[in-house]
Amino acid sequence: MLLKFTKMHGIGNDFVVIDGVTQRLQLKPRDIMKIADRRLGVGCDQVLLAEPPGRPDVDFFYRIYNPDGSEAEQCGNGARCFARFVRQRRLTQKRVIRVETLSGISELRIVDRHQVEVDMGQPTLDPGSIPLHRPQREQEYWLNVQGEELSIGAVSMGNPHAVLRVTDTDTCRIEQLGPLIEHHVDFPHRCNVGFMQIVERNEIRLRVHERSAGETLACGSGACAAVVYGRLRGWLDEQVTVQLPGGKLHIAWPGEGHTVRMTGPTAVVFEGSIRL
Ligand SMILES: N[C@H](CCC[C@H](N)C(=O)O)C(=O)O
């Protein structure tokens, strides 16, 4: 089968985006792994698939696959690229697009030719729903990582995130701690791991070791999770600029009971087709 795709990125978090609306597709994990492979396929952090809606109050189903073929519940940078993609392929003319993912509904708003704003929904903080094996919600959790006790935040944006505050993201131990925390027994669905440096009350630096993808140049849901944790700890204000290695995102969260809004750029790199 020859499969058409569009290669896109959101500040360096890169995606292969596929139209599953005008072409009925059944992608198997081995197809995803080939597409995502940076030597044997196209190469990307995630594969995004636009599908017809499964309910009357949304425009599309937005499916997200990690490079190992596993399906994720949310992808923030991907959501911005998804919005650009479905408009560019004339699958919709709307400027506000409602999509369903495995974790619920997200609303995508085209701001201008470059920027897209995503309503990422409310964060989930109950440990059982993240999921994190802890009896009750705490401001911080202590995680024993190979004998070292680490203080973390735990937030779900639909997908699970652990967040650590560090003094300098340039020297944080992401290569060592990222995989150990991702696979920690206390996170039964594994997790994405953010390393956050507080610059000001309205600015952080962030690096993210993504679940199933390793460190990426940017992680949208990770930026949201870090701001939520920072605000809950009293370190951050409502509007925060998040500096990631690939670029910056703007995150706004008024506080509990409100949704998190993320704004950032999107880019189309090329269009192509791959033989599966
Ligand atoms: N690796 C993530 C999915 C992609 C998230 C990231 N690319 C974003 O922009 O939110 C997970 O397994 O939960």
Side-chain angles (χ1 to χ4, degrees), residues 13 15 46 66 72-78 159 192 210-211 219-222:
N13 194 195
F15 309 106
Q46 278 88 36
N66 279 311
E73 310 88 339
Q74 181 58 278
C75 177
N77 285 321
N159 57 345
N192 300 280
E210 283 199 27
R211 178 177 60 172
C219 178
S221 56

